[in-house]
Amino acid sequence: MQVSQLWRYPVKSMVGGRVDSIVLDELGVVGDRTWAVRDLERGGIRGAKKIGSVMRLAARDVDVGEVEITLPVGSSVRTTDEDVDERVSAALDHRVRLEALRPADDLEHYRRGAPDSDDVVAELRGIFGREDDEPFPDFSVFPPIIAEYESPPGTYYDVFPLMVMSEAALAALGAALPDSNVDIRRSARRSWSTPVTTAPALRPRATPSSTGSANGRRLAPSRSSSVRRARGA
């Protein structure tokens, strides 16, 4: 298995970008999802599952702790600009506020906002994008803490800090949906950080973990990409 691309997403659910190298610590990719939008109408940190138009915006790091966001009209705004919340809200047609990642013990920051529906089943179908005749995912793989919080406290990930997608899987998705535009930039934004090259007929045996290891081994980077562990991690 060879790592062919590395992606990082400074703002939750916004388009990110490819990077030449990443550093991994116990929370995943350093610098990944360090910002998110807070829903000022229903409360809670939100991603594209609740505010789909967030996916039309793109983000990139410009300085330590500072991110530049490109709006759908092509203009850009930085997290340090006084009008950033106003301009992002206008682009989303939804009142939001950009908020930086908070410590894990700030539990109120991560607590879930109000649901869109009083019907629990309808709410879950909306979150997971399931039609009435489609089954739910296996909830047993999710940590119980996300029932109360929008993400594991201390992170802006939905559930897992690092995920890997094979190019073979992406190709299979394109073949299964020939009328769809399967764009790696849009597929990767769902959480994938490291697309890997695998033989088309083979299924990867390695299971990614939160430390960036596969079956207890470090992922082997290609010449153009590198994966490093943070000191002390």
Side-chain angles (χ1 to χ4, degrees), residues 166-169 171-172 197-204:
S166 71
E167 292 178 344
T197 302
T198 59
L202 298 179
R203 179 177 300 170

Side-chain angles (χ1 to χ4, degrees), residues 57-209:
L57 281 60
R60 70 182 185 92
D61 293 307
V62 291
D63 203 348
V64 178
E66 183 179 5
V67 170
E68 182 178 77
I69 298 171
T70 301
L71 308 175
V73 294
S75 59
S76 61
V77 62
R78 296 191 177 189
T79 49
T80 52
D81 292 340
E82 292 185 359
D83 62 346
V84 60
D85 296 330
E86 178 182 349
R87 293 179 64 185
V88 171
S89 294
L92 300 178
D93 194 25
H94 194 104
R95 290 193 307 116
V96 300
R97 181 173 63 237
L98 268 292
E99 295 192 357
L101 199 63
R102 298 285 300 161
D105 59 2
D106 188 355
L107 297 180
E108 286 304 313
H109 178 79
Y110 298 97
R111 199 173 299 280
R112 284 194 175 277
D116 293 330
S117 172
D118 293 332
D119 185 328
V120 175
V121 174
E123 177 74 6
L124 288 173
R125 289 198 183 282
I127 291 174
F128 290 100
R130 294 295 197 269
E131 300 292 340
D132 290 342
D133 60 344
E134 292 181 314
F136 286 116
D138 180 3
F139 292 123
S140 68
V141 304
F142 300 142
I145 197 169
I146 64 170
E148 184 175 358
Y149 301 102
E150 294 286 350
S151 59
T155 79
Y156 281 152
Y157 301 110
D158 287 343
V159 181
F160 304 112
L162 180 68
M163 300 188 76
V164 176
M165 177 174 63
S166 71
E167 292 178 344
L170 192 65
L173 182 61
L177 301 170
D179 296 327
S180 298
N181 178 19
V182 181
D183 188 327
I184 191 170
R185 294 171 300 175
R186 302 183 184 279
S187 301
R189 182 171 53 235
R190 300 309 299 171
S191 289
W192 313 110
S193 297
T194 55
V196 299
T197 302
T198 59
L202 298 179
R203 179 177 300 170
R205 296 178 58 190
T207 301
S209 73

Side-chain angles (χ1 to χ4, degrees), residues 4 22 29 42 132 141 179 188-189 208 210 212 231:
S4 60
I22 58 175
V29 178
R42 302 192 66 80
D132 290 342
V141 304
D179 296 327
R189 182 171 53 235
S210 61
R231 183 174 298 175

